[in-house]
């Protein structure tokens, strides 16, 4: 089974000039992305996520602020990641339950392997744990 893992993107620049990081097909992102979305202004008492995806793979970047990801596979193995560097991405394979917390200034950028499809979501934790995705 594929595992969630951190990706270090190149950081081009210097403290004096600022930086550019780049995600290109075939270079660190292990799938072709068909969709990009971003979320912002999430109050920090709100927990988002609360679902798994059947097929979707993602790379998530905290382009600003701090984002905490709690992930769990169907066998109950848990992972947690604190994203706080804009040159760092989190690869999430298909099939992981996620809960997400944000600092208020956080901007989450997602590269997604598929277009939006509500049918790809599993939003019931018991269904996620007890049925094949
Ligand atoms: P959802 O993925 O459940 O958000 P989160 O995991 O951040 O809590 O999406 C929230 C709502 O936005 C849901 O009604 C579906 C809609 N949405 C789209 O229409 N297109 C998209 O690409 C995404 C990611 C969400």
């Amino acid at each position: 089974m594929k595992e969630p893992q951190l990706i270090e993107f190149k950081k081009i620049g210097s403290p004096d000039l600022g930086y550019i990081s780049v995600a290109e097909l075939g270079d660190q992102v292990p799938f072709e992305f068909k969709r990009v979305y971003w979320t912002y202004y999430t109050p920090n008492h709100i927990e988002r996520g609360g679902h798994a995806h059947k097929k979707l793979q993602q790379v998530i970047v905290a382009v600003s602020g701090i984002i905490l990801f709690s992930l769990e596979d169907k066998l109950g193995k848990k992972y947690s990641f604190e994203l706080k560097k804009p040159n760092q991405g989190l690869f999430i394979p298909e099939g992981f339950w996620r809960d997400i917390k944000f600092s208020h200034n956080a901007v989450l950028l997602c590269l997604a392997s598929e277009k939006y499809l509500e049918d790809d979501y599993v939003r019931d934790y018991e269904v996620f744990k007890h049925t094949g995705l």
Side-chain angles (χ1 to χ4, degrees):
M1 190 196 249
K2 288 182 271 185
E3 284 204 282
Q5 55 192 278
L6 292 174
I7 296 170
E8 286 288 311
F9 289 106
K10 282 190 294 235
K11 215 173 147 186
I12 304 163
S14 68
D16 295 341
L17 298 172
Y19 294 97
I20 298 177
S21 289
V22 186
E24 281 187 325
L25 289 184
D27 177 18
Q28 293 180 297
V29 178
F31 54 80
E32 296 205 350
F33 34 99
K34 297 194 178 130
R35 176 168 54 120
V36 177
Y37 68 83
W38 50 99
T39 77
Y40 43 91
Y41 303 161
T42 308
N44 60 12
H45 63 278
I46 293 294
E47 189 167 79
R48 298 190 62 131
H51 63 259
H53 286 285
K54 298 175 193 169
K55 185 169 171 215
L56 187 75
Q57 303 178 69
Q58 293 160 292
V59 168
I60 307 280
V61 179
V63 289
S64 151
I66 302 174
I67 304 177
L68 302 174
F69 262 82
S70 304
L71 301 175
E72 184 177 347
D73 69 16
K74 285 173 70 71
L75 302 174
K77 184 166 180 189
K78 294 185 174 162
Y79 302 78
S80 61
F81 294 94
E82 185 179 66
L83 301 178
K84 57 182 178 190
K85 286 161 58 183
N87 66 317
Q88 198 167 53
L90 172 62
F91 169 58
I92 309 179
E94 66 277 18
F96 283 80
W97 190 266
R98 80 282 315 274
D99 294 305
I100 317 163
K101 301 265 294 167
F102 299 81
S103 63
H104 181 64
N105 63 341
V107 178
L108 176 157
L109 182 77
C110 176
L111 308 178
S113 66
E114 311 297 329
K115 291 189 179 174
Y116 173 73
L117 183 61
E118 183 58 34
D119 255 16
D120 188 67
Y121 283 72
V122 181
R123 295 189 182 274
D124 181 323
Y125 183 73
E126 293 308 314
V127 171
F128 167 68
K129 291 293 274 190
H130 301 299
T131 58
L133 289 180

